[in-house]
Amino acid sequence: MATVSIPACTSALLLDIEGTTTPITFVKDILFPYIREHLEEYLSTHWEEDECKQDVHLLKKQIEEDMRQNRSCPVHTVDQTVHTDEEKAIREVMDNVLWQMAADRKSTALKQLQGHMWRAAYSSGRIKGEVYQDVIPSIKRWRGQGLKVYIYSSGSVEAQKLLFGYSVEGDVLDLFDGHFDTSIGAKVECKSYERIAERIGCQPEEITFLTDVTREAKAAEEAGVNVVVVVRPGNLELTDDERAHYDLVTSFSQLELTGRA
């Protein structure tokens, strides 16, 4: 693919993670399987610790909310205070977590427990955050040209910081000026990008957003943000219309900043 020029008015780059800086397979084939494979071990080891108790408490609240809303949920209910058999209680938590993951739930309770498990995995060296080889050199080049660089991902800010703090390239967190997650709004809503511009302190047209998801690209565009769609192995196939409409890159190295050295 040809070089893509970014407008000279750009002062900030906003980067998606999954499918943009990082292979989609990292989440699907590394992070999620890690939870499934190590859940019992993690709960057994940390069961009596305050953080784990809080995680279980949140899961219990989520189940109660699901039952109030008549949502389907596993047959077990989680109750850490009333049980005679710790293993049975752990099994009930496991059933709920695995059920939520199978249903692709995005509940705060699930995200919090996953985040704590991933933190332990990253800090022990069991997992390293994957980034494409073109990402770090390109970010360093952009920063050298006076641009600010931010992350916007549906993964929590804590999960983002773990990925880049324990990456295959080492701790690269100092390359980013800030992180945004869905607490600022959904990535498919244009208001989210307006809020990010306000938080950064610039106009939407001064931001260039890199993503592999065209629904996100459309929302950003509606907010006045400049958009580049990233085409990586394993990403969702683009339609002919999408290919014609958006600037496309297969590598960050193809991005050139107009009027900058």
Side-chain angles (χ1 to χ4, degrees):
M1 287 184 183
T3 297
V4 170
S5 293
I6 294 175
C9 65
T10 299
S11 62
L13 284 158
L14 185 64
L15 311 178
D16 166 54
I17 292 180
E18 192 179 345
T20 300
T21 67
T22 297
I24 275 183
T25 51
F26 177 65
V27 174
K28 185 167 64 78
D29 296 344
I30 304 292
L31 289 185
F32 287 157
Y34 180 87
I35 300 292
R36 288 190 288 268
E37 289 162 19
H38 295 89
L39 184 57
E40 185 170 14
E41 172 198 342
Y42 180 85
L43 290 171
S44 299
T45 303
H46 301 282
W47 189 252
E48 294 299 332
E49 296 171 14
D50 286 346
E51 187 175 78
C52 188
K53 287 181 177 178
Q54 288 167 7
D55 291 343
V56 171
H57 178 70
L58 258 190
L59 286 165
K60 179 180 176 181
K61 290 288 187 190
Q62 181 65 55
I63 290 171
E64 290 171 356
E65 177 63 21
D66 286 344
M67 291 174 77
R68 268 199 301 274
Q69 301 286 341
N70 290 319
R71 296 193 193 105
S72 61
C73 57
V75 289
H76 298 302
T77 56
V78 179
D79 191 335
Q80 197 179 0
T81 56
V82 185
H83 66 83
T84 53
D85 183 348
E86 185 177 293
E87 287 180 2
K88 179 171 174 284
I90 288 172
R91 171 53 57 185
E92 289 172 356
V93 174
M94 288 178 62
D95 285 348
N96 181 264
V97 169
L98 295 173
W99 170 78
Q100 286 201 57
M101 289 179 68
D104 199 26
R105 295 287 297 276
K106 309 287 186 189
S107 71
T108 301
L110 177 63
K111 279 189 171 185
Q112 181 169 301
L113 175 62
Q114 287 174 329
H116 293 153
M117 286 187 66
W118 287 327
R119 183 183 64 200
Y122 279 115
S123 60
S124 67
R126 284 181 170 187
I127 290 178
K128 286 189 185 296
E130 290 184 23
V131 290
Y132 285 110
Q133 288 186 343
D134 55 275
V135 170
I136 302 305
S138 297
I139 292 175
K140 287 177 177 176
R141 176 166 58 92
W142 298 333
R143 290 180 66 83
Q145 293 168 321
L147 291 178
K148 292 188 172 182
V149 182
Y150 297 86
I151 293 290
Y152 182 29
S153 172
S154 54
S156 68
V157 167
E158 182 183 12
Q160 297 172 27
K161 289 182 174 180
L162 288 170
L163 192 157
F164 292 109
Y166 295 94
S167 84
V168 289
E169 303 281 349
D171 183 351
V172 294
L173 280 174
D174 61 347
L175 295 179
F176 301 102
D177 294 279
H179 297 258
F180 300 98
D181 59 21
T182 50
S183 64
I184 203 155
K187 294 176 77 181
V188 294
E189 294 173 3
C190 73
K191 286 284 184 193
S192 306
Y193 300 90
E194 293 170 4
R195 291 187 199 106
I196 287 172
E198 193 176 335
R199 190 78 63 86
I200 289 173
C202 68
Q203 295 301 312
E205 55 267 24
E206 295 176 76
I207 298 173
T208 294
F209 177 47
L210 275 62
T211 181
D212 62 308
V213 179
T214 53
R215 284 181 68 213
E216 297 172 2
K218 185 174 185 288
E221 219 172 25
E222 287 171 359
V225 169
N226 186 51
V227 171
V228 176
V229 172
V230 183
V231 179
R232 301 281 199 183
N235 288 4
L236 199 62
E237 198 68 35
L238 301 177
T239 66
D240 289 342
D241 286 348
E242 288 168 343
R243 285 182 172 278
H245 179 76
Y246 293 108
D247 286 328
L248 308 177
V249 295
T250 57
S251 166
F252 283 11
S253 61
Q254 291 168 256
L255 289 168
E256 292 293 340
L257 303 165
T258 310
R260 293 175 190 257

